[in-house]
């Protein structure tokens, strides 16, 4: 390609992939991201923080990652973009933990954006104090300070990674930050923080964290111009997106694929193929609307069979039938090009399955899940019933290994959500995966 003055611009072909959750999180993104990471050169986190929990099973090792990009397990470079909020203490603890399991996490393999906002102990304290004060109206946050840290970012008082290199900046920034937070903490009857304590905390962590600091936008642009494949690893999911989710029962970042660009400093075209991950049923942790939730024996069965306990908090997850209305919406707002369907084996042997195909509000059919909370609470699901299958899908590695009814179930989901299932995961093992289309070959 040539510019007006005849200058030659190098064209770079995008074959990148962005992975996002299409429900309320915990769809099994960890395994899919790990599987895709083996085909990528760089894996980038672009939102969320250590509220996320990704479990990766590789051989006899189980890695539990919260903040680190999953590609590190495959020896690929991991990047933490500016859209993430980083708790430096949690980061170092996680690095120590996975290093003890044999992974290399050094500035050669991990880079963190210089403009990433930090989570300080005061953020966790505010998060928990506010949740306690909300009583019955609590959001059910992970209590890790995610929301307060994002609030500080948009309020322009965040301490960012680059500030750790400037003690004089830390000094005045902490004054401003504490003026705000101590007022709130005192009002909530919680213990306040001193500047000296926070300074000591940050100064002790700085020498270990600063070596990872980099100009991530430049690194990613140079890498994609050099033809390196980038995998953007989303955390949480579309229904927890701060704009498009079940607000206010959401996390504090944008979880949709568009944020892969903003949250790492690349153009929107770099996001590439968007793979949405969905479980073959639904789960949710924390509070908030969940139209297809099951409060009966079937709900408990799904929870037990699917080992549905939060990776980060250990809380039991709420379980329900697959909600096609919700996933279709996630496909549309999330920009999903293909779906990866996980945990189909959890439905093995259940004689009759249901899929939520519509909603009713006060006896009337409605086209969309409403945005206002009182209406959300009154929504009733409309179900379609499908025959289950008696064989097993566990560990299947090809379409031919699946019972006919299981194939019908998957095909029906494709029709209802208006997106192709391009990948099917049939056990926690990395290789128990059926690939219909390689997302990197788009
Ligand atoms: P926060 O992100 O800690 O502020 O929590 C806000 C909401 O998002 C709560 O309902 C959490 O349970 C939920 N949440 C946060 N991270 C995850 C995740 O990784 N998986 C599932 N739910 C999450």
């Amino acid at each position: 390609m040539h510019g007006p003055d005849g200058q030659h611009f190098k064209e770079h072909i995008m074959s990148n992939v962005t992975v996002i959750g299409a429900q309320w999180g915990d769809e099994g993104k960890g395994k899919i991201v790990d599987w895709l990471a083996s085909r990528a050169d760089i894996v980038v986190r672009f939102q969320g923080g250590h509220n996320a929990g990704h479990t990766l099973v590789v051989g006899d090792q189980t890695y539990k990652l919260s903040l680190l990009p999953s590609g590190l397990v495959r020896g690929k470079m991991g990047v933490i973009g500016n859209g993430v909020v980083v708790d430096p203490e949690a980061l170092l603890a996680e690095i120590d933990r996975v290093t003890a399991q044999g992974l290399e996490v050094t500035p050669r393999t991990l880079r963190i954006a210089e403009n990433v906002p930090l989570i300080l102990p005061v953020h966790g304290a505010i998060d928990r104090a506010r949740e306690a004060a909300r009583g019955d109206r609590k959001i059910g946050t992970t209590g890790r300070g995610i929301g307060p840290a994002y609030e500080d970012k948009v309020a322009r008082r965040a301490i960012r990674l680059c500030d750790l290199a400037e003690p004089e900046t830390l000094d005045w920034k902490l004054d401003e930050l504490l003026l705000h937070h101590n007022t709130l903490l005192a009002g909530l009857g919680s213990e306040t923080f001193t500047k000296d304590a926070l300074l000591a905390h940050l100064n002790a962590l700085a020498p270990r964290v600063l070596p990872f600091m980099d100009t991530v936008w430049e690194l990613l642009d140079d890498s994609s111009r050099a033809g390196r494949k980038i995998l953007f690893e989303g955390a949480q999911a579309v229904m927890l997106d701060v704009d498009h989710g079940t607000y206010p029962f959401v996390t504090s970042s944008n979880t949709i694929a568009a944020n892969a660009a903003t949250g790492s400093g690349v153009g929107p075209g770099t996001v590439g193929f968007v793979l949405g991950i969905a479980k073959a049923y639904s789960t949710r942790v924390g509070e908030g609307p969940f139209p297809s939730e099951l409060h009966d024996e079937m709900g408990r069965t799904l929870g037990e069979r699917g080992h549905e306990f939060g990776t980060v908090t250990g809380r039991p997850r709420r379980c329900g039938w697959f909600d096609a209305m919700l996933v279709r919406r996630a496909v549309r707002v999330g920009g999903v090009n293909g779906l990866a369907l996980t945990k189909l084996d959890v439905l093995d042997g259940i004689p009759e399955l249901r899929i939520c195909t519509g909603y009713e509000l006060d006896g009337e059919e409605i086209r969309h899940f409403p945005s206002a909370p009182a209406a959300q609470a009154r929504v009733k699901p409309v179900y379609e019933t499908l025959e289950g299958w008696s064989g097993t899908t566990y560990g299947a590695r090809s379409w031919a290994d699946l019972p006919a009814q299981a194939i019908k179930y998957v095909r029906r989901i494709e029709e209802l959500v208006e997106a192709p299932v391009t990948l099917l995961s049939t056990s926690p093992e990395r290789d128990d995966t059926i690939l219909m289309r390689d997302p990197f070959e788009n």
Side-chain angles (χ1 to χ4, degrees), residues 31 49 62 91 128 135 165 169 180 203 268 286 326 389 416 427 435:
K31 174 191 153 170
T62 299
L91 172 81
R128 294 185 293 271
T169 302
H180 179 85
N203 286 332
L326 188 134
W389 51 90
L416 289 167
S427 96
L435 179 69

Side-chain angles (χ1 to χ4, degrees), residues 44-55:
V44 183
R45 278 281 307 267
F46 57 89
Q47 47 75 226
H50 66 310
N51 50 349
H54 289 175
T55 306

Side-chain angles (χ1 to χ4, degrees), residues 24 26 48-53 66 85 87 119 123-129 131 134 138-148 150 236 240 250-252 285-287 310-315:
W24 278 290
D26 311 308
H50 66 310
N51 50 349
S66 266
V85 280
D87 180 331
I119 302 180
H123 294 123
I126 292 269
D127 193 358
R128 294 185 293 271
E131 279 284 273
R134 282 183 187 120
K138 70 178 192 296
I139 293 166
T141 72
T142 58
R144 305 211 158 177
I146 306 294
Y150 277 115
Q236 292 89 43
L240 291 172
V250 291
T251 192
S252 296
V285 275
E287 307 303 315
T311 315
V312 169
T313 57
R315 292 179 286 182

Side-chain angles (χ1 to χ4, degrees), residues 17-23 26-33 35-36 273-281 322 327 331 336-344 399 410 413-414 417 419-426 432-437 439:
V17 175
T18 296
V19 170
I20 60 169
Q23 294 158 319
D26 311 308
E27 296 92 352
K29 287 188 286 294
K31 174 191 153 170
I32 308 287
V33 168
W35 191 81
L36 290 168
F273 185 92
V274 180
L275 185 69
I277 318 291
K279 247 181 243 193
Y281 51 100
F322 186 86
V327 175
V331 163
V336 169
N337 300 115
L339 270 190
L341 201 63
T342 63
K343 300 184 99 169
L344 188 62
W399 205 238
V410 176
I413 284 178
E414 284 183 318
V417 307
V421 171
T422 51
L423 215 147
L424 204 64
S425 154
T426 57
D432 292 340
T433 302
I434 303 173
L435 179 69
M436 269 68 92
R437 177 173 163 193

Side-chain angles (χ1 to χ4, degrees), residues 252-426:
S252 296
S253 60
N254 285 114
T255 56
I256 58 171
N259 196 30
T262 318
S264 62
V266 299
T270 310
V271 166
F273 185 92
V274 180
L275 185 69
I277 318 291
K279 247 181 243 193
Y281 51 100
S282 309
T283 63
R284 170 162 208 172
V285 275
E287 307 303 315
F290 181 175
S292 65
E293 182 170 11
L294 289 164
H295 298 281
D296 59 4
E297 199 46 44
M298 182 54 71
R300 279 185 290 280
T301 303
L302 292 175
E304 277 161 28
R305 286 188 173 199
H307 308 290
E308 298 295 355
F309 295 92
T311 315
V312 169
T313 57
R315 292 179 286 182
R317 297 178 184 140
R318 301 153 64 192
C319 297
W321 295 119
F322 186 86
D323 187 338
M325 289 287 279
L326 188 134
V327 175
R328 183 166 66 224
R329 182 173 180 149
V331 163
R332 293 168 76 175
V333 300
V336 169
N337 300 115
L339 270 190
L341 201 63
T342 63
K343 300 184 99 169
L344 188 62
D345 57 283
V346 173
L347 304 180
D348 284 354
I350 299 178
E352 211 174 70
L353 302 170
R354 288 176 152 202
I355 296 180
C356 171
T357 54
Y359 297 137
E360 274 180 7
L361 180 64
D362 305 332
E364 300 278 327
E365 196 178 317
I366 49 169
R367 286 184 58 204
H368 307 296
F369 192 65
S371 296
Q376 287 182 344
R378 295 202 309 278
V379 166
K380 299 264 179 294
V382 177
Y383 288 116
E384 176 178 305
T385 304
L386 283 89
E387 199 186 315
W389 51 90
S390 51
T392 180
T393 62
Y394 188 84
R397 292 190 182 183
S398 87
W399 205 238
D401 293 341
L402 297 177
Q405 278 308 126
I407 295 177
K408 271 197 189 156
Y409 184 79
V410 176
R411 291 292 184 224
R412 187 65 185 132
I413 284 178
E414 284 183 318
E415 261 169 34
L416 289 167
V417 307
E418 295 170 8
V421 171
T422 51
L423 215 147
L424 204 64
S425 154
T426 57

Side-chain angles (χ1 to χ4, degrees), residues 143-160:
R144 305 211 158 177
I146 306 294
Y150 277 115
E151 289 164 32
D152 276 4
K153 169 177 164 169
V154 291
R156 296 164 293 191
R157 60 173 169 258
I159 304 232
R160 308 198 298 176

